[in-house]
Amino acid sequence: QVQLVESEGGLVQVGGSLRLSCAASGGASSTNTMAWFRQGLGKEREFVAAIRRGDRKTSYGDSVKGRFTISMDRPKNTMYLQMNSLKPEDTAVYYCAGTSRSWILSAMSNKEGYDYWGQGTQVTVSS
């Protein structure tokens, strides 16, 4: 059974930065594609970013392009999300997700394509 454990989020001021991590237990092949999603209060769960283990190809949601960077430390089986230039609209619960499938880039944003989910971590951006 794969478990995904996110790092603690936090409270950040507008324009600030924060890095989230997601550590995956289980074999590396269980997380060939990993992703971050987020859900604001009263909103649908939204795709943030994803990365493919084999070639480290990445995909980003339009609202975070140029500000967020996803990366993966394969030996540690840990994924990161570096968030810069944070805005109040980035406030949400951030979820880590993983699947054993290596999705093509256009499929990475589909939350139905992920089998494992973390518990979520709150990120609040204050103005």
Side-chain angles (χ1 to χ4, degrees):
Q1 182 71 13
V2 175
Q3 286 190 320
L4 302 178
V5 179
E6 295 118 340
S7 61
E8 195 170 326
L11 175 63
V12 186
Q13 289 190 329
V14 169
S17 297
L18 188 66
R19 189 176 83 155
L20 301 179
S21 66
C22 172
S25 65
S29 61
S30 299
T31 49
N32 284 319
T33 306
M34 296 187 75
W36 291 97
F37 288 80
R38 67 186 183 187
Q39 189 164 15
L41 193 62
K43 297 182 180 180
E44 294 286 322
R45 192 166 295 192
E46 174 191 20
F47 171 70
V48 176
I51 187 166
R52 200 159 58 200
R53 172 182 296 277
D55 56 10
R56 292 181 173 159
K57 289 289 187 183
T58 59
S59 176
Y60 292 92
D62 289 341
S63 62
V64 306
K65 281 180 183 175
R67 300 187 299 122
F68 290 11
T69 302
I70 190 171
S71 61
M72 180 185 285
D73 184 328
R74 291 187 288 196
K76 292 183 178 179
N77 211 12
T78 299
M79 174 179 66
Y80 302 94
L81 184 68
Q82 178 66 42
M83 303 184 291
N84 297 329
S85 302
L86 283 161
K87 305 175 181 180
E89 50 264 44
D90 294 318
T91 294
V93 177
Y94 283 72
Y95 296 91
C96 168
T99 177
S100 60
R101 291 164 284 189
S102 290
W103 287 123
I104 57 174
L105 293 182
S106 61
M108 286 182 174
S109 60
N110 183 2
K111 60 181 179 291
E112 303 302 325
Y114 294 89
D115 304 304
Y116 314 111
W117 290 86
Q119 78 282 4
T121 188
Q122 177 70 47
V123 172
T124 301
V125 183
S126 66
S127 55

